[in-house]
């Protein structure tokens, strides 16, 4: 596979459990996962994982990426420290490169105005409403939503979040995508057989 890397944002207090399904199976599909921090200085996740970012945010170019993933973090609601990541998301979307945001990152994008004209979801509607954004009428009660190159999901939906990423990038499709979701979301043993059959092709 010659696809461009997937860029995964990392910053202090990032929610390390929200993107694991997505990055693991993107890597298995041949995507290079590159971590992006505010700088090259190490950051620490909510779970206490210390991560050395491979690149700094200001050096990331949409033209060199397949996708930007923004996990949730306590910092999204604690000030403007992560606002540069929301601005980078705008840069990606303006360039036609997709962005996937989960949990608190959706609030950051709401503040940036990126949800005003796209269908989207999050933890609950009033969480985003508290940002004062103008997209409340476009809020959808769903596990994950894709619109205009932007994927959004709430904090309890890491599997649906990954499903939408795989769909958007064409990693899995049709019954294989459905089987992947049923296996990891529903623990459906019949779904495993579908995935094994697809892997053997």
């Amino acid at each position: 596979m010659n696809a461009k890397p997937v860029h995964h944002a990392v910053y202090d207090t990032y929610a390390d459990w929200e993107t694991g399904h997505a990055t693991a199976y993107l890597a298995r599909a041949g995507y290079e996962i590159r971590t992006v921090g505010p700088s090259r200085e190490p950051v620490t996740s909510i779970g206490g994982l210390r991560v050395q970012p491979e690149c700094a945010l200001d050096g990331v170019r949409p033209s060199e990426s397949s996708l930007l993933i923004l996990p949730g973090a306590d910092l999204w609601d604690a000030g403007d420290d992560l606002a540069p990541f929301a601005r980078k998301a705008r840069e990606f979307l303006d360039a036609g490169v997709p962005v996937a945001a989960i949990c608190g990152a959706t609030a950051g994008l709401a503040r940036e105005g990126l949800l005003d004209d796209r269908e989207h979801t999050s933890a609950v509607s009033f969480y985003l409403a508290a940002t004062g954004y103008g997209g409340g009428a476009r809020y959808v009660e769903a596990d994950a939503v894709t619109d205009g190159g932007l994927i959004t999901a709430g904090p309890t939906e890491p599997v649906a979040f990954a499903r939408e990423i795989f769909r958007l990038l064409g990693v899995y499709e049709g019954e294989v995508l459905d089987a992947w979701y049923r296996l990891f979301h529903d623990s459906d043993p019949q779904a495993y057989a579908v995935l094994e059959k697809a892997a053997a092709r």
Side-chain angles (χ1 to χ4, degrees):
M1 169 179 263
N2 295 317
K4 296 173 183 177
V6 167
H7 287 87
H8 183 297
V10 292
Y11 19 72
D12 284 331
T13 74
Y14 84 91
D16 36 31
W17 67 90
E18 292 177 342
T19 58
H21 289 86
T23 55
Y25 281 84
L26 286 171
R28 284 189 168 190
Y31 284 89
E32 176 190 1
I33 310 298
R34 303 205 70 202
T35 51
V36 182
S39 69
R40 293 289 309 282
E41 293 300 310
V43 299
T44 304
S45 75
I46 287 178
L49 299 180
R50 190 168 170 84
V51 177
Q52 174 79 57
E54 296 173 78
C55 48
L57 183 65
D58 60 7
V60 175
R61 304 285 177 263
S63 60
E64 300 170 354
S65 184
S66 292
L67 172 73
L68 174 64
I69 297 176
L70 299 175
D74 291 344
L75 286 181
W76 281 113
D77 297 317
D80 296 327
D81 286 357
L82 299 186
F85 286 90
R87 291 194 290 272
K88 182 63 71 171
R90 178 180 292 282
E91 184 183 331
F92 267 62
L93 292 168
D94 286 349
V97 181
V99 173
I102 186 169
C103 189
T106 62
L109 299 193
R111 295 184 188 97
E112 181 65 19
L114 294 174
L115 306 185
D116 290 355
D117 300 314
R118 294 177 173 88
E119 291 192 346
H120 59 275
T121 194
S122 184
V124 287
S125 61
F126 56 81
Y127 170 62
L128 293 185
T131 69
Y133 84 130
R138 307 298 297 273
Y139 189 90
V140 180
E141 294 287 354
D143 54 9
V145 173
T146 303
D147 187 21
L150 177 62
I151 296 167
T152 51
T156 60
E157 298 293 348
V159 179
F161 183 64
R163 178 197 67 209
E164 293 304 297
I165 289 172
F166 302 154
R167 190 199 315 274
L168 190 63
L169 296 182
V171 173
Y172 301 127
E173 298 175 329
E175 69 171 5
V176 177
L177 180 64
D178 177 66
W180 185 91
Y181 180 76
R182 287 188 289 112
L183 178 63
F184 287 97
H185 187 267
D186 304 325
S187 300
D188 182 351
Q190 295 181 351
Y192 185 78
V194 176
L195 294 175
E196 284 288 285
K197 182 178 179 181
R201 290 175 186 162

